[in-house]
Amino acid sequence: ITRSYLDWLTLLPWGKYSEENFDIQRAQEILDRDHYGLENVKNRILEFMAVGKLLGTVPQGKIVCLVGPPGVGKTSIGKSIAEALNRKFFRFSVGGLTDVAEIKGHRRTYVGAMPGK
């Protein structure tokens, strides 16, 4: 367990950060350009970005989880969010995962805590 955790730690890109862009107007343009309709989804994403703009960064530990059947635009809206925030896009499928700890990792206070996927 310890070796896999240490291997995971050494693979992380320590010290590499992307410059975040919290320009709400630009994000609105990108979302409107890429997606017709979906006003509730786009408004919620803009609210999330507005909080990030007020705090100076996206709140730590926050994950945007898009749920729905295949073909409704989850991946494409995720790509638009990444473009608006000036971040790299990473697609992560959670099909079959049943526990939040499998995604985010266990709390470090647990004996035998494991990192997330």
Side-chain angles (χ1 to χ4, degrees), residues 25-73:
Q25 184 63 36
R26 179 177 175 265
Q28 178 76 50
E29 292 170 4
I30 290 171
L31 290 170
D32 287 340
R33 177 194 71 202
D34 295 345
H35 303 282
Y36 178 79
L38 301 173
E39 296 304 322
N40 291 340
V41 175
K42 292 190 284 188
N43 287 337
R44 180 64 184 104
I45 291 165
L46 292 172
E47 287 174 12
F48 181 78
M49 289 180 66
V51 169
K53 185 174 184 175
L54 288 173
L55 295 175
T57 184
V58 172
Q60 184 178 2
K62 298 299 179 198
I63 297 173
V64 176
C65 183
L66 304 172
V67 180
V72 296

Side-chain angles (χ1 to χ4, degrees), residues 92-100 102-103 117:
F92 183 80
S93 178
V94 293
L97 296 181
T98 58
D99 187 15
V100 174
E102 290 183 65
I103 301 169
K117 293 182 179 177

Side-chain angles (χ1 to χ4, degrees), residues 69-114:
V72 296
K74 298 178 298 290
T75 301
S76 63
I77 203 146
K79 288 180 181 178
S80 296
I81 294 168
E83 182 183 349
L85 286 172
N86 197 30
R87 289 185 166 193
K88 291 182 181 178
F89 175 75
F90 180 78
R91 183 180 181 276
F92 183 80
S93 178
V94 293
L97 296 181
T98 58
D99 187 15
V100 174
E102 290 183 65
I103 301 169
K104 292 181 81 172
H106 294 97
R107 291 184 183 173
R108 288 175 291 201
T109 56
Y110 292 137
V111 175
M114 295 291 294

